[in-house]
């Protein structure tokens, strides 16, 4: 029988937590997660989910994604540069081999790299433990070899998981996961050994969700960015993630919406523009132990 | 459940560049600058397909925009698409004439056979006719054996060439669907450029068994059927996004060299009385800008090739 809940996190309403602040008293941490991806023309078909509708090739689907690397990424980079913003790349690590030019451009700008699997159409569904370990080891070794960075973050390829993924990530020293959409703050995950936290990623302020699933206009997405920011900023002690895909946001007609959103966000005081790893590190340094203690006492019924 | 076969963790084409040999990896922004005639920096390319959706059109692996899947006989959707050929196309033609624009027109062979007056009018107005398969129910994809696809490509092109007297050197597969061989079959049949691959904004050469096939930057989202029909955006939201696309390219091309602004409009969609104003608004916006050059796909490609050859 499949579990109806994997119990990776405790319930603690956001109103019952100690206040959280960011470096220099910033009210909000904002991070950008461009998904830098490589889709294969003819990937093996995972029995649980096909990367492309059959029969292969899917020329429209494949070439649309490829546009992100040939054209869109470079426009997005220009816009991020204009605002002096760093991204944290959710990286299909095979981009290191296929397009090292893209890796170099991100590295020159001090971006962070976190793992988004090997290829976007290689799903984790159905992997046994040895296979999943091989995947994680591949990602760690590839990123280290091509960038010199120790891999700290994880967003499963196409957000596909097994029931054991977070346990394995913690074992390999990954410090944060982006596969949890349940919160506006980082939060400890219950892993069998080591430690792992979720940090807020988003399927809301995410151009793929907005443009492909919800059929937003760019103006609608721009309004969503601003409204999300305004509310989280007013509440304080929150994280805002903006998840982007070069093949979508790198289109000429959508860039203005992003620029307007960025103008709005960068015009406020008290905003900490961070990478995913910086947010995770800050949380571990200042809040993790306290939260673990609080959760332990709640579990033992002392609170 | 059986464990995942280990081929899922093997990556035989993990290497520099693409995972296939059809074309090379290339960053658009790092290519030599191009210029269009008379110092123009934006080439304006209108793509206006003429299509026939047969009544027997069933579920397709790659649904073309405007596909219908209610039980046969679906009068509603069949006739709504056919409206484009009877009325909508002539409304689009009137607007394009007023703005002095000749589009590239991917045309199903069935349209030539069924609606010869429409195709003759398009030719008389100087429209560039391009291949667009037999009809919207005949997709080119990996289910076909090569002999069948050879016949489909040859028949479609032969029909168009005979009906129009044009060379017909461009191609758009219905729903952009291709088999692994389609580009080879296109060059074997005298096609110079294809609109199926939407990965670039400038022309680039693909490898085929019979020499290069140029990929031209068709737009699957600056497209009335994608935005208005599939995306449920209003005509004014469509206008807004298309203007935004043009404005960005107009500014960028001043700095970075020539760009192509591609707009795709379908007679059955934009040709509706309540939507045609969207096309007029867009073309007015374009006309109010200097530095543009309006041309057909074949003309844009010829200019591009000439410059690439010189550099």
């Amino acid at each position: 029988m499949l579990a109806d809940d994997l119990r990776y996190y405790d319930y603690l309403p956001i109103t019952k937590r100690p206040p959280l602040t960011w470096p220099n008293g910033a009210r909000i941490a904002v991070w950008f997660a461009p998904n830098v991806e490589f889709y294969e023309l003819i990937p093996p078909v995972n029995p649980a989910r096909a990367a492309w509708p059959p029969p292969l090739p899917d020329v429209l689907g494949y070439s649309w994604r490829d546009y992100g690397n040939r054209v869109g990424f470079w426009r997005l980079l220009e816009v991020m540069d204009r605002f002096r913003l760093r991204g944290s790349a959710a990286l299909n690590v095979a981009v290191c081999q296929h397009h090292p030019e893209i890796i170099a451009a991100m590295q020159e700008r001090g971006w962070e790299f976190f793992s988004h699997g090997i290829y976007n159409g290689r799903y984790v569904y159905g992997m046994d433990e040895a296979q999943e370990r091989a995947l994680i080891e591949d990602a760690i070794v590839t990123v280290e070899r091509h960038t010199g960075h120790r891999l700290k973050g994880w967003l499963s390829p196409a957000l596909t998981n097994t029931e054991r993924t977070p346990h394995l990530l913690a074992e390999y020293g990954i410090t944060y996961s982006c596969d949890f959409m349940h919160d506006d703050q980082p939060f400890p995950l219950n892993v069998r050994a080591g430690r792992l936290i979720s940090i807020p990623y988003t399927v809301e302020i995410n151009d793929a969700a907005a443009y492909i699933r919800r059929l937003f206009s760019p103006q609608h997405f721009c309004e969503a960015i601003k409204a999300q920011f305004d509310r989280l900023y007013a509440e304080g002690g929150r994280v805002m993630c903006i998840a982007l895909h070069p093949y979508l946001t790198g289109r000429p007609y959508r860039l203005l919406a992003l620029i307007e959103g960025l103008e709005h966000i960068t015009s406020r005081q008290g905003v900490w523009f961070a990478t995913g790893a910086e947010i995770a590190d800050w949380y571990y340094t200042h809040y993790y132990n306290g939260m673990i203690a609080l959760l332990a006492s709640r579990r033992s019924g002392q609170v | 459940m059986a464990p995942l076969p280990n081929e899922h963790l093997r990556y035989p084409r993990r290497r520099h560049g693409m995972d296939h040999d059809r074309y090379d990896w290339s960053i658009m922004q790092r290519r030599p600058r191009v210029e269009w005639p008379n110092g123009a920096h934006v080439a304006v390319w209108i793509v206006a397909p003429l299509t026939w959706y047969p009544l027997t059109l069933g579920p397709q692996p790659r649904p073309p925009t405007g596909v219908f899947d209610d039980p046969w006989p679906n009068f509603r959707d069949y006739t709504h698409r056919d409206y484009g050929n009877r009325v909508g196309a002539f409304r689009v033609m009137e607007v394009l004439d007023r703005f002095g624009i000749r589009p590239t027109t991917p045309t199903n062979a069935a349209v030539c056979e069924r609606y010869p007056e429409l195709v003759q009018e398009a030719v008389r107005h100087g429209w560039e006719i391009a291949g667009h398969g037999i009809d919207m129910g005949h997709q080119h994809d990996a289910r076909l054996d090569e002999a069948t696809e050879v016949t489909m490509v040859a028949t479609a092109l032969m029909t168009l060439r005979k009906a129009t007297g044009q060379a017909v050197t461009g191609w758009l597969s219905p729903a952009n669907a291709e088999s692994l061989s389609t580009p080879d079959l296109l060059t074997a049949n005298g096609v110079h450029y294809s609109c199926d691959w939407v990965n670039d904004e400038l022309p680039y050469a693909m490898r085929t068994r019979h020499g290069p096939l140029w990929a031209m930057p068709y737009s699957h989202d600056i497209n009335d059927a994608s935005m208005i029909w599939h995306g449920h955006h209003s005509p004014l939201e469509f206008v807004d996004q298309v203007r935004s696309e043009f404005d960005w390219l107009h500014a960028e091309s001043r700095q970075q060299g020539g760009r192509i602004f591609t707009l795709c409009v379908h007679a059955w969609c934009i040709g509706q009385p309540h939507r045609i104003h969207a096309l007029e608004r867009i073309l007015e916006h374009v006309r109010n800008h200097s530095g543009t050059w309006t041309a057909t796909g074949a003309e844009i490609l010829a200019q591009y090739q000439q410059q690439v050859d010189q550099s």
Side-chain angles (χ1 to χ4, degrees):
Chain A
M1 218 159 58
L2 300 177
D4 64 359
D5 179 4
L6 291 167
R7 311 221 171 258
Y8 270 114
Y9 50 84
D10 287 13
Y11 182 69
L12 178 62
I14 196 149
T15 50
K16 297 279 168 67
R17 300 178 203 167
L20 200 160
T21 59
W22 303 112
N24 304 313
R27 301 186 57 79
I28 185 171
V30 175
W31 73 295
F32 297 87
N35 285 221
V36 178
E37 299 172 329
F38 196 103
Y39 285 74
E40 296 164 281
L41 187 63
I42 312 282
V45 178
N46 188 300
R49 176 176 161 189
W52 307 115
L56 300 179
D58 183 341
V59 165
L60 188 61
Y62 175 88
S63 62
W64 188 15
R65 271 56 174 201
D66 186 29
Y67 171 90
N69 295 328
R70 291 171 80 89
V71 183
F73 171 81
W74 307 95
R75 285 216 180 93
L76 179 59
L77 200 59
E78 250 180 72
V79 171
M80 299 284 284
D81 284 352
R82 204 189 288 184
F83 290 91
R84 295 196 181 82
L85 293 169
R86 287 169 304 154
S88 306
L91 185 69
N92 288 159
V93 300
V95 173
C96 293
Q97 281 92 13
H98 288 287
H99 303 323
E101 301 83 355
I102 289 178
I103 303 293
M106 295 191 285
Q107 204 162 8
E108 282 162 21
R109 291 162 172 81
W111 287 27
E112 187 201 338
F113 302 96
F114 65 97
S115 169
H116 193 27
I118 312 300
Y119 287 109
N120 222 63
R122 300 275 188 142
Y123 304 134
V124 179
Y125 302 127
M127 283 191 185
D128 63 24
E129 186 164 329
Q131 291 174 325
E132 203 169 356
R133 285 180 184 279
L135 161 65
I136 297 168
E137 287 165 14
D138 184 336
I140 291 171
V141 168
T142 303
V143 168
E144 188 142 1
R145 186 177 298 152
H146 290 264
T147 71
H149 291 218
R150 171 76 204 174
L151 191 66
K152 290 186 161 184
W154 195 272
L155 173 70
S156 280
L159 286 80
T160 64
N161 281 281
T162 70
E163 73 285 359
R164 74 180 86 78
T165 307
H167 295 306
L168 296 183
L169 296 178
E171 201 181 305
Y172 281 98
I174 304 287
T175 67
Y176 72 92
S177 164
C178 301
D179 282 336
F180 294 80
M181 311 299 148
H182 63 331
D183 221 294
D184 285 334
Q185 292 180 341
F187 204 84
L189 295 172
N190 303 326
V191 287
R192 59 192 182 210
R195 55 185 203 174
L196 185 69
I197 59 172
S198 58
I199 71 169
Y201 182 70
T202 178
V203 286
E204 292 279 350
I205 308 303
N206 181 319
D207 57 355
Y211 292 132
I212 297 184
R213 292 199 168 199
R214 313 257 167 262
L215 305 173
F216 278 20
S217 68
Q219 196 51 43
H220 188 173
F221 189 54
C222 175
E223 284 158 18
I225 292 174
K226 292 188 204 171
Q228 179 93 350
F229 175 83
D230 288 347
R231 189 67 185 201
L232 292 173
Y233 184 85
E235 290 176 0
R238 303 285 188 259
V239 177
M240 174 168 175
C241 179
I242 301 180
L244 300 168
H245 295 72
Y247 78 95
L248 294 168
T249 286
R251 291 289 318 207
Y253 74 100
R254 291 192 180 122
L255 282 160
L256 200 59
L258 177 66
I259 289 170
E260 265 186 55
L262 296 182
E263 278 168 355
H264 182 80
I265 290 174
T266 54
S267 66
R268 297 298 194 283
Q269 301 294 312
V271 182
W272 182 40
F273 291 102
T275 63
E278 286 165 356
I279 292 169
D281 288 349
W282 181 263
Y283 189 83
Y284 276 115
T285 304
H286 299 276
Y287 299 104
Y288 182 82
N289 290 335
M291 183 55 77
I292 292 293
L294 173 59
L295 294 172
S297 61
R298 276 172 62 92
R299 273 185 229 154
S300 64
Q302 289 168 4
V303 173
Chain B
M1 199 162 81
L4 205 55
N6 270 324
E7 71 162 317
H8 288 265
L9 285 104
R10 283 195 286 267
Y11 314 104
R13 296 193 157 244
R14 192 169 168 183
R15 61 186 186 190
H16 186 244
M18 305 312 298
D19 61 331
H20 56 79
D21 302 314
R22 190 56 91 182
Y23 57 82
D24 290 333
W25 156 235
S26 159
I27 297 164
M28 182 185 77
Q29 285 86 344
R30 295 191 184 170
R31 292 178 212 153
R33 288 175 69 106
V34 287
E35 256 188 40
W36 306 119
N38 304 317
H41 46 101
V42 181
V44 175
W45 185 30
I46 309 297
V47 179
L50 293 176
T51 52
W52 181 59
Y53 290 76
L55 191 59
T56 47
L57 182 66
Q60 302 279 308
R62 318 251 172 263
T65 32
V67 74
F68 43 87
D69 48 17
D70 274 4
W72 185 92
N74 181 345
F75 281 36
R76 180 193 61 202
D77 293 324
Y78 174 88
T79 55
H80 181 258
R81 298 309 165 273
D82 219 19
Y83 175 90
N85 298 318
R86 302 168 65 85
V87 183
F90 297 95
R91 193 169 282 131
V92 169
M93 199 175 276
E94 186 274 316
V95 172
L96 293 181
D97 273 356
R98 209 170 344 120
F99 286 88
I101 292 176
R102 291 168 298 114
T104 293
T105 299
T107 305
N108 291 155
V111 172
C112 285
E113 285 161 351
R114 298 169 55 88
Y115 313 126
E117 289 111 314
L118 170 57
V119 175
Q120 282 156 17
E121 273 301 284
V123 169
R124 196 173 68 79
H125 283 73
W127 292 18
E128 181 204 0
I129 305 297
H132 195 24
I134 304 290
D135 60 43
M136 298 313 280
H138 280 80
Q139 281 192 4
H140 296 251
D141 62 49
R143 295 170 306 169
L144 302 174
D145 60 71
E146 190 160 320
T148 308
E149 197 183 357
V150 165
T151 309
M152 281 166 59
V153 170
T155 307
L157 288 164
M158 216 156 32
T159 307
L160 293 188
R161 285 169 183 152
K162 202 170 146 205
T164 65
Q166 294 186 5
V168 187
T169 58
W171 178 272
L172 170 68
S173 295
N176 300 57
E178 288 192 354
S179 75
L180 285 171
S181 312
T182 308
D184 302 311
L185 306 186
L186 294 178
T187 46
N189 283 278
V191 171
H192 296 164
Y193 76 88
S194 146
C195 308
D196 290 342
W197 296 67
V198 294
N199 52 352
D200 216 306
E201 290 179 14
L202 288 174
Y204 71 91
M206 303 182 109
R207 277 181 208 93
T208 80
R209 299 199 289 256
H210 315 281
L213 176 68
W214 288 81
M216 280 288 284
Y218 172 76
S219 184
H220 65 304
D221 51 0
I222 299 300
N223 183 316
D224 61 340
S226 312
M227 271 188 196
I228 296 178
W229 197 253
H230 171 70
H232 306 295
H233 293 175
S234 75
L236 289 180
E237 286 173 311
F238 176 61
V239 170
D240 206 44
Q241 290 169 82
V242 178
R243 280 181 182 165
S244 214
E245 173 96 357
F246 177 84
D247 291 347
W248 184 278
L249 292 173
H250 195 265
E252 184 183 270
S253 56
R254 280 218 171 107
Q255 309 296 324
Q256 301 183 12
R259 294 280 182 264
I260 300 171
F261 164 76
T262 309
L263 167 67
C264 180
V265 288
H266 294 77
W268 57 266
C269 186
I270 204 78
Q272 296 288 340
H274 71 107
R275 291 201 189 99
I276 192 72
H277 70 94
L279 181 59
E280 292 174 322
R281 285 168 201 262
I282 291 164
L283 297 180
E284 274 160 24
H285 184 76
V286 170
R287 191 170 58 187
N288 289 338
H289 288 74
S290 58
T292 65
W293 171 56
T294 305
T296 64
E299 290 163 350
I300 294 170
L301 178 58
Q303 275 295 324
Y304 187 83
Q305 283 178 300
Q306 201 184 321
Q307 292 187 41
V308 173
D309 289 347
Q310 283 165 0
S311 66

